[in-house]
């Protein structure tokens, strides 16, 4: 039984979304996690995740291991007390800790493949809730945006705790994604922002409000077919993320290089401190923006059309 899940990028609103402000995110299908579950001649469960050098008996992993915790949570949701004789193969093209949602994508694909293999396929709403529970185990105070956009594989306008809203794209636009190659766990940047917010709630609430407004205006621009307006909004959003201290010299260098190569605007995407940045580019300029990112030190680039 096979299942896969895409990566994601946050277009606007990361971090502020943890504090109930709106954010916009879209799936990125060029990168994905693929999971295959099959019968095994060995007793118990065996996991093979070559990308993270994991070849292990499920029993030998600590219960809070990111992959074991997904499987155990699913077994408990399905009332399964004895580990079946199975082999689980996990492959991924989503870089780990890069802001592209690799953790949530592993959880979504694993739950789908395993639940179908065990004859208990789970509807999306339940997959989403389960993955959110797992995100909470590993990320402290996640907003839930990653599991939502990855489970439903649709653009989302997300406000924590509110019903899921998707948005329409009035006119397609091109985003270039650049990876700093620096792994940066979201838990750390989210935790640091929380400490800053606790020290000066008035100032940080104001920054979150301004970020939330960029998400709202960006949604209107996308829906009304004026994506060119997103460039300036991205620049504004990035400046606000810098005030939250979640950018880094490497991210700023890539963002600067994208703008110099003709991008209409650029910002970090995801937790920040490393991971990925995104730039809005006219389709004809996307390749040259991507080359400028590589020259400025990007490990990898992806050009994606939002439509
Ligand atoms: C991570 O992709 C986005 C953050 O806003 C964290 C979250 O929403 O849980 C940084």
């Amino acid at each position: 039984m096979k299942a896969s899940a895409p990566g994601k990028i946050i277009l606007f609103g990361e971090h502020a979304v943890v504090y109930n402000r709106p954010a916009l995110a879209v799936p990125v299908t060029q990168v994905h996690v693929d999971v295959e579950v099959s019968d095994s001649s060995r007793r118990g469960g065996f996991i093979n995740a070559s990308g993270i050098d994991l070849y292990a008996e499920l029993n030998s992993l600590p219960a809070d291991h990111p992959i074991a915790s997904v499987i155990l949570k699913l077994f408990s949701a399905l009332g399964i007390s004895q580990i079946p004789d199975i082999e689980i193969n996990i492959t991924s093209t989503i870089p780990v800790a890069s802001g592209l949602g690799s953790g949530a994508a592993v959880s979504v694909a694993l739950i789908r493949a395993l639940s179908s293999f065990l004859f208990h396929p789970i509807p999306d709403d339940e997959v989403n809730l389960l993955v959110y529970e797992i995100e909470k185990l590993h990320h402290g105070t996640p907003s839930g945006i990653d599991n939502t956009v990855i489970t439903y594989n649709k653009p989302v306008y997300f406000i924590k705790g509110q019903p899921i809203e998707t948005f329409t794209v009035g006119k397609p636009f091109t985003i270039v994604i650049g990876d700093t190659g620096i792994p940066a766990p979201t838990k750390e940047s989210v935790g640091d922002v929380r400490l800053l917010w606790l020290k000066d709630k008035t100032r940080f609430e104001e920054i979150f409000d301004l970020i939330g407004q960029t998400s709202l205006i960006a949604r209107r621009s996308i829906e009304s077919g004026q994506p060119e307006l997103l460039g300036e909004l991205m620049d504004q959003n990035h400046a606000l993320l810098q005030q939250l201290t979640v950018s880094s010299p490497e991210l700023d260098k890539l963002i600067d290089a994208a703008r110099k190569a003709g991008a209409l605007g650029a910002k970090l995407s995801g937790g920040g401190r490393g991971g990925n940045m995104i730039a809005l580019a006219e389709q004809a300029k996307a390749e040259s923006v991507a080359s400028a990112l590589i020259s400025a030190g990007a490990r990898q680039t992806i050009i994606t059309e939002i439509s």
Side-chain angles (χ1 to χ4, degrees), residues 49-65:
S50 53
I52 51 167
D53 281 334
L54 177 71
Y55 308 92
E57 300 266 355
L58 179 55
N59 263 337
S60 69
L61 296 175
D64 63 352
H65 182 280

Side-chain angles (χ1 to χ4, degrees), residues 8 10 14-15 17-18 142-143 145-146 186 190 270-271:
K8 69 99 211 321
I10 299 202
E14 49 275 272
H15 288 287
V17 68
V18 174
S143 62
I145 191 168
D146 287 15
T186 304
V190 169

Side-chain angles (χ1 to χ4, degrees), residues 154-264:
K154 280 188 191 143
V156 291
Y157 177 81
F158 183 87
I159 303 175
K160 191 173 162 185
Q162 298 211 0
I164 295 146
E165 281 182 62
T166 184
F167 59 90
T168 50
V169 179
K171 185 172 151 198
F173 56 96
T174 306
I175 294 285
V176 185
I177 306 171
D179 187 357
T180 59
I182 299 168
T186 304
K187 187 178 182 175
E188 284 171 23
S189 61
V190 169
D192 289 351
V193 171
R194 179 154 301 264
L195 293 178
L196 292 171
W197 171 76
L198 285 171
K199 275 195 210 137
D200 190 349
K201 286 195 183 165
T202 313
R203 173 160 175 253
F204 282 82
E205 286 288 331
E206 267 170 27
I207 300 175
F208 297 147
D209 277 342
L210 292 170
I211 294 179
Q213 281 163 26
T214 61
S215 301
L216 191 65
I217 304 170
R219 177 185 179 169
R220 288 199 199 119
S221 310
I222 294 172
E223 292 195 316
S224 65
Q226 295 175 290
E228 58 286 351
L229 301 181
L230 298 180
E232 201 183 319
L233 291 169
M234 280 186 178
D235 291 345
Q236 286 168 11
N237 194 163
H238 186 67
L240 293 163
L241 288 162
Q242 283 175 320
Q243 290 188 43
L244 296 183
T245 75
V246 294
S247 194
S248 70
E250 295 82 3
L251 280 164
D252 288 343
K253 189 174 173 198
L254 295 188
I255 286 161
D256 197 40
R259 288 180 186 144
K260 287 197 174 117
L264 300 170

Side-chain angles (χ1 to χ4, degrees), residues 47 57-76 83 133-134 137-138:
I47 301 162
E57 300 266 355
L58 179 55
N59 263 337
S60 69
L61 296 175
D64 63 352
H65 182 280
I67 290 177
S69 60
V70 179
I71 299 171
L72 297 175
K73 199 138 193 110
L74 176 69
F75 285 172
S76 126
I83 299 175
E133 290 304 310
I134 292 152
L137 289 179
H138 302 299

